[in-house]
Amino acid sequence: AMDSLLEQTVADFELIISDNASTDGTFALAQEYARKDPRVRVCRNSENLGAVNNFKKVLELASGEYFMWTAADDAWHPECLEVLGRELAAHPDALAALSGVRVVDVDGGKDRDLRFQSQADPTVKSRLAASCLFMSSKKLNYFICGLMRRELLARNVGFFEMGFTSDRLFMCLMALAFPLRYVDKVLFEKTRQRPYDLRHASDPHGRAIARARSAGIYYQPLVYLCKNIPRCTDIS
């Protein structure tokens, strides 16, 4: 992940690593990269904050015009940041831009490309129709991995809550409030893993997902949408 980011055709950026109290060799590896490349900044949490809270932590540490959450098991083609940055610059009202996605199955399943074309393209939809796409079976929740306007994201990240389908629910709300942009070129490789709560049972976010599953997986999304959709008029 770090190699593919540091090899981007756009070089003027900061790579912030928020080590979430890891217990393996992650922190040492991150420090090694920071010694070799001044663009890398490493911070370490004294305890596991949970995935969503760590997402928020790394956003707080950022200062650039654009921002992108990046996972440790994904990869980006060299021109990804350049292409998405150009797309946002051309559409100053948009919150986020995403390219086509190659889904790599870590369990040995068949890799596949996701192209959000035609009726799956939020760019050609009304805000309401685009928002509804995020609650469909289409994998538009990958927009959480897109390039975003940092200040706009920071003002609204409070809507990003721990629990089942948190990325999908957050982007569903953001799509209702802001335009999104899609670039029909595969520039991002997303690793498909087992469910988060099975891989990270002790993580606070993992526990929140497990609680949602035990209460009925549709309960939490319904509560979230009923609570937050009326607040869309307050989104800055």
Side-chain angles (χ1 to χ4, degrees), residues 109-128:
K110 185 177 180 181
D111 300 348
R112 68 188 191 279
D113 288 350
L114 295 178
R115 311 286 286 269
F116 304 111
Q117 300 167 313
S118 185
Q119 295 304 307
D121 185 354
T123 302
V124 300
K125 299 282 189 179
S126 68
R127 299 271 184 88
L128 178 59

PDB file of all heavy atoms in Angstrom, residues 109-128:
ATOM      1  N   GLY A 109     -10.915 -16.154  -4.378  1.00  0.00           N
ATOM      2  CA  GLY A 109     -11.977 -16.022  -5.361  1.00  0.00           C
ATOM      3  C   GLY A 109     -11.520 -15.237  -6.569  1.00  0.00           C
ATOM      4  O   GLY A 109     -10.414 -14.694  -6.607  1.00  0.00           O
ATOM      5  N   LYS A 110     -12.372 -15.133  -7.566  1.00  0.00           N
ATOM      6  CA  LYS A 110     -12.004 -14.470  -8.812  1.00  0.00           C
ATOM      7  C   LYS A 110     -11.983 -12.957  -8.632  1.00  0.00           C
ATOM      8  O   LYS A 110     -12.924 -12.363  -8.096  1.00  0.00           O
ATOM      9  CB  LYS A 110     -13.006 -14.858  -9.907  1.00  0.00           C
ATOM     10  CG  LYS A 110     -12.646 -14.309 -11.272  1.00  0.00           C
ATOM     11  CD  LYS A 110     -13.636 -14.791 -12.329  1.00  0.00           C
ATOM     12  CE  LYS A 110     -13.251 -14.238 -13.703  1.00  0.00           C
ATOM     13  NZ  LYS A 110     -14.215 -14.686 -14.739  1.00  0.00           N
ATOM     14  N   ASP A 111     -10.887 -12.334  -9.068  1.00  0.00           N
ATOM     15  CA  ASP A 111     -10.817 -10.882  -9.076  1.00  0.00           C
ATOM     16  C   ASP A 111     -11.795 -10.344 -10.118  1.00  0.00           C
ATOM     17  O   ASP A 111     -12.064 -10.995 -11.131  1.00  0.00           O
ATOM     18  CB  ASP A 111      -9.403 -10.407  -9.411  1.00  0.00           C
ATOM     19  CG  ASP A 111      -8.371 -10.897  -8.405  1.00  0.00           C
ATOM     20  OD1 ASP A 111      -8.776 -11.406  -7.351  1.00  0.00           O
ATOM     21  OD2 ASP A 111      -7.164 -10.777  -8.692  1.00  0.00           O
ATOM     22  N   ARG A 112     -12.313  -9.144  -9.877  1.00  0.00           N
ATOM     23  CA  ARG A 112     -13.248  -8.556 -10.845  1.00  0.00           C
ATOM     24  C   ARG A 112     -13.121  -7.038 -10.813  1.00  0.00           C
ATOM     25  O   ARG A 112     -12.699  -6.456  -9.811  1.00  0.00           O
ATOM     26  CB  ARG A 112     -14.683  -8.966 -10.523  1.00  0.00           C
ATOM     27  CG  ARG A 112     -15.258  -8.382  -9.247  1.00  0.00           C
ATOM     28  CD  ARG A 112     -16.609  -9.011  -8.919  1.00  0.00           C
ATOM     29  NE  ARG A 112     -17.304  -8.309  -7.861  1.00  0.00           N
ATOM     30  CZ  ARG A 112     -17.070  -8.456  -6.567  1.00  0.00           C
ATOM     31  NH1 ARG A 112     -16.129  -9.286  -6.172  1.00  0.00           N
ATOM     32  NH2 ARG A 112     -17.747  -7.775  -5.660  1.00  0.00           N
ATOM     33  N   ASP A 113     -13.472  -6.430 -11.943  1.00  0.00           N
ATOM     34  CA  ASP A 113     -13.458  -4.972 -12.043  1.00  0.00           C
ATOM     35  C   ASP A 113     -14.865  -4.435 -11.856  1.00  0.00           C
ATOM     36  O   ASP A 113     -15.829  -4.947 -12.453  1.00  0.00           O
ATOM     37  CB  ASP A 113     -12.927  -4.525 -13.402  1.00  0.00           C
ATOM     38  CG  ASP A 113     -11.432  -4.759 -13.537  1.00  0.00           C
ATOM     39  OD1 ASP A 113     -10.782  -5.084 -12.520  1.00  0.00           O
ATOM     40  OD2 ASP A 113     -10.905  -4.626 -14.658  1.00  0.00           O
ATOM     41  N   LEU A 114     -14.982  -3.386 -11.037  1.00  0.00           N
ATOM     42  CA  LEU A 114     -16.252  -2.701 -10.840  1.00  0.00           C
ATOM     43  C   LEU A 114     -16.200  -1.375 -11.575  1.00  0.00           C
ATOM     44  O   LEU A 114     -15.344  -0.534 -11.303  1.00  0.00           O
ATOM     45  CB  LEU A 114     -16.505  -2.460  -9.348  1.00  0.00           C
ATOM     46  CG  LEU A 114     -16.686  -3.689  -8.456  1.00  0.00           C
ATOM     47  CD1 LEU A 114     -16.888  -3.252  -7.008  1.00  0.00           C
ATOM     48  CD2 LEU A 114     -17.853  -4.535  -8.927  1.00  0.00           C
ATOM     49  N   ARG A 115     -17.116  -1.212 -12.508  1.00  0.00           N
ATOM     50  CA  ARG A 115     -17.226   0.033 -13.272  1.00  0.00           C
ATOM     51  C   ARG A 115     -18.615   0.598 -13.005  1.00  0.00           C
ATOM     52  O   ARG A 115     -19.622  -0.013 -13.344  1.00  0.00           O
ATOM     53  CB  ARG A 115     -17.024  -0.226 -14.765  1.00  0.00           C
ATOM     54  CG  ARG A 115     -15.797  -1.057 -15.127  1.00  0.00           C
ATOM     55  CD  ARG A 115     -14.517  -0.267 -14.973  1.00  0.00           C
ATOM     56  NE  ARG A 115     -14.324   0.700 -16.023  1.00  0.00           N
ATOM     57  CZ  ARG A 115     -13.661   0.450 -17.167  1.00  0.00           C
ATOM     58  NH1 ARG A 115     -13.140  -0.743 -17.381  1.00  0.00           N
ATOM     59  NH2 ARG A 115     -13.515   1.389 -18.081  1.00  0.00           N
ATOM     60  N   PHE A 116     -18.678   1.749 -12.388  1.00  0.00           N
ATOM     61  CA  PHE A 116     -19.961   2.330 -11.993  1.00  0.00           C
ATOM     62  C   PHE A 116     -20.536   3.151 -13.149  1.00  0.00           C
ATOM     63  O   PHE A 116     -20.625   4.378 -13.094  1.00  0.00           O
ATOM     64  CB  PHE A 116     -19.785   3.169 -10.729  1.00  0.00           C
ATOM     65  CG  PHE A 116     -19.192   2.393  -9.591  1.00  0.00           C
ATOM     66  CD1 PHE A 116     -17.903   2.659  -9.147  1.00  0.00           C
ATOM     67  CD2 PHE A 116     -19.903   1.379  -8.973  1.00  0.00           C
ATOM     68  CE1 PHE A 116     -17.347   1.943  -8.098  1.00  0.00           C
ATOM     69  CE2 PHE A 116     -19.360   0.651  -7.926  1.00  0.00           C
ATOM     70  CZ  PHE A 116     -18.076   0.930  -7.497  1.00  0.00           C
ATOM     71  N   GLN A 117     -20.943   2.457 -14.171  1.00  0.00           N
ATOM     72  CA  GLN A 117     -21.417   3.086 -15.395  1.00  0.00           C
ATOM     73  C   GLN A 117     -22.937   3.128 -15.435  1.00  0.00           C
ATOM     74  O   GLN A 117     -23.628   2.456 -14.668  1.00  0.00           O
ATOM     75  CB  GLN A 117     -20.898   2.308 -16.612  1.00  0.00           C
ATOM     76  CG  GLN A 117     -19.383   2.233 -16.703  1.00  0.00           C
ATOM     77  CD  GLN A 117     -18.919   1.203 -17.721  1.00  0.00           C
ATOM     78  OE1 GLN A 117     -19.397   0.085 -17.754  1.00  0.00           O
ATOM     79  NE2 GLN A 117     -17.967   1.591 -18.551  1.00  0.00           N
ATOM     80  N   SER A 118     -23.451   3.941 -16.361  1.00  0.00           N
ATOM     81  CA  SER A 118     -24.880   3.986 -16.666  1.00  0.00           C
ATOM     82  C   SER A 118     -25.700   4.219 -15.392  1.00  0.00           C
ATOM     83  O   SER A 118     -25.493   5.185 -14.684  1.00  0.00           O
ATOM     84  CB  SER A 118     -25.286   2.694 -17.377  1.00  0.00           C
ATOM     85  OG  SER A 118     -26.630   2.750 -17.795  1.00  0.00           O
ATOM     86  N   GLN A 119     -26.612   3.307 -15.075  1.00  0.00           N
ATOM     87  CA  GLN A 119     -27.514   3.505 -13.955  1.00  0.00           C
ATOM     88  C   GLN A 119     -26.836   3.363 -12.601  1.00  0.00           C
ATOM     89  O   GLN A 119     -27.440   3.650 -11.558  1.00  0.00           O
ATOM     90  CB  GLN A 119     -28.685   2.524 -14.054  1.00  0.00           C
ATOM     91  CG  GLN A 119     -29.578   2.745 -15.257  1.00  0.00           C
ATOM     92  CD  GLN A 119     -30.123   4.166 -15.297  1.00  0.00           C
ATOM     93  OE1 GLN A 119     -30.705   4.656 -14.333  1.00  0.00           O
ATOM     94  NE2 GLN A 119     -29.909   4.851 -16.410  1.00  0.00           N
ATOM     95  N   ALA A 120     -25.581   2.900 -12.583  1.00  0.00           N
ATOM     96  CA  ALA A 120     -24.833   2.801 -11.331  1.00  0.00           C
ATOM     97  C   ALA A 120     -23.928   4.007 -11.109  1.00  0.00           C
ATOM     98  O   ALA A 120     -23.199   4.057 -10.115  1.00  0.00           O
ATOM     99  CB  ALA A 120     -23.999   1.523 -11.319  1.00  0.00           C
ATOM    100  N   ASP A 121     -23.960   4.975 -11.997  1.00  0.00           N
ATOM    101  CA  ASP A 121     -23.087   6.138 -11.934  1.00  0.00           C
ATOM    102  C   ASP A 121     -23.783   7.262 -11.166  1.00  0.00           C
ATOM    103  O   ASP A 121     -24.754   7.841 -11.654  1.00  0.00           O
ATOM    104  CB  ASP A 121     -22.735   6.604 -13.351  1.00  0.00           C
ATOM    105  CG  ASP A 121     -21.734   7.750 -13.359  1.00  0.00           C
ATOM    106  OD1 ASP A 121     -21.397   8.265 -12.274  1.00  0.00           O
ATOM    107  OD2 ASP A 121     -21.305   8.133 -14.459  1.00  0.00           O
ATOM    108  N   PRO A 122     -23.325   7.598  -9.953  1.00  0.00           N
ATOM    109  CA  PRO A 122     -23.987   8.671  -9.197  1.00  0.00           C
ATOM    110  C   PRO A 122     -23.840  10.036  -9.851  1.00  0.00           C
ATOM    111  O   PRO A 122     -24.601  10.953  -9.545  1.00  0.00           O
ATOM    112  CB  PRO A 122     -23.284   8.627  -7.838  1.00  0.00           C
ATOM    113  CG  PRO A 122     -21.945   8.030  -8.125  1.00  0.00           C
ATOM    114  CD  PRO A 122     -22.177   7.033  -9.227  1.00  0.00           C
ATOM    115  N   THR A 123     -22.868  10.172 -10.753  1.00  0.00           N
ATOM    116  CA  THR A 123     -22.634  11.441 -11.428  1.00  0.00           C
ATOM    117  C   THR A 123     -23.841  11.877 -12.252  1.00  0.00           C
ATOM    118  O   THR A 123     -24.117  13.074 -12.390  1.00  0.00           O
ATOM    119  CB  THR A 123     -21.393  11.327 -12.338  1.00  0.00           C
ATOM    120  OG1 THR A 123     -20.275  10.943 -11.552  1.00  0.00           O
ATOM    121  CG2 THR A 123     -21.094  12.643 -13.031  1.00  0.00           C
ATOM    122  N   VAL A 124     -24.577  10.920 -12.831  1.00  0.00           N
ATOM    123  CA  VAL A 124     -25.689  11.249 -13.717  1.00  0.00           C
ATOM    124  C   VAL A 124     -27.031  11.152 -12.998  1.00  0.00           C
ATOM    125  O   VAL A 124     -28.080  11.234 -13.637  1.00  0.00           O
ATOM    126  CB  VAL A 124     -25.690  10.319 -14.949  1.00  0.00           C
ATOM    127  CG1 VAL A 124     -24.395  10.477 -15.721  1.00  0.00           C
ATOM    128  CG2 VAL A 124     -25.888   8.857 -14.554  1.00  0.00           C
ATOM    129  N   LYS A 125     -27.014  10.993 -11.693  1.00  0.00           N
ATOM    130  CA  LYS A 125     -28.239  10.848 -10.914  1.00  0.00           C
ATOM    131  C   LYS A 125     -28.555  12.127 -10.145  1.00  0.00           C
ATOM    132  O   LYS A 125     -27.679  12.953  -9.885  1.00  0.00           O
ATOM    133  CB  LYS A 125     -28.084   9.694  -9.905  1.00  0.00           C
ATOM    134  CG  LYS A 125     -27.825   8.330 -10.510  1.00  0.00           C
ATOM    135  CD  LYS A 125     -29.106   7.737 -11.047  1.00  0.00           C
ATOM    136  CE  LYS A 125     -28.917   6.287 -11.452  1.00  0.00           C
ATOM    137  NZ  LYS A 125     -30.165   5.689 -11.951  1.00  0.00           N
ATOM    138  N   SER A 126     -29.813  12.272  -9.764  1.00  0.00           N
ATOM    139  CA  SER A 126     -30.170  13.310  -8.812  1.00  0.00           C
ATOM    140  C   SER A 126     -29.563  12.951  -7.454  1.00  0.00           C
ATOM    141  O   SER A 126     -29.129  11.811  -7.230  1.00  0.00           O
ATOM    142  CB  SER A 126     -31.689  13.417  -8.683  1.00  0.00           C
ATOM    143  OG  SER A 126     -32.213  12.247  -8.065  1.00  0.00           O
ATOM    144  N   ARG A 127     -29.532  13.899  -6.535  1.00  0.00           N
ATOM    145  CA  ARG A 127     -28.973  13.615  -5.216  1.00  0.00           C
ATOM    146  C   ARG A 127     -29.726  12.463  -4.551  1.00  0.00           C
ATOM    147  O   ARG A 127     -29.108  11.578  -3.958  1.00  0.00           O
ATOM    148  CB  ARG A 127     -29.066  14.859  -4.330  1.00  0.00           C
ATOM    149  CG  ARG A 127     -28.311  16.070  -4.844  1.00  0.00           C
ATOM    150  CD  ARG A 127     -26.875  16.110  -4.363  1.00  0.00           C
ATOM    151  NE  ARG A 127     -26.242  17.329  -4.796  1.00  0.00           N
ATOM    152  CZ  ARG A 127     -26.280  18.472  -4.112  1.00  0.00           C
ATOM    153  NH1 ARG A 127     -26.889  18.512  -2.947  1.00  0.00           N
ATOM    154  NH2 ARG A 127     -25.690  19.556  -4.580  1.00  0.00           N
ATOM    155  N   LEU A 128     -31.046  12.480  -4.622  1.00  0.00           N
ATOM    156  CA  LEU A 128     -31.841  11.433  -3.981  1.00  0.00           C
ATOM    157  C   LEU A 128     -31.574  10.077  -4.627  1.00  0.00           C
ATOM    158  O   LEU A 128     -31.380   9.071  -3.932  1.00  0.00           O
ATOM    159  CB  LEU A 128     -33.334  11.767  -4.067  1.00  0.00           C
ATOM    160  CG  LEU A 128     -34.283  10.722  -3.469  1.00  0.00           C
ATOM    161  CD1 LEU A 128     -33.973  10.501  -1.998  1.00  0.00           C
ATOM    162  CD2 LEU A 128     -35.734  11.155  -3.662  1.00  0.00           C
TER     163      LEU A 128
END
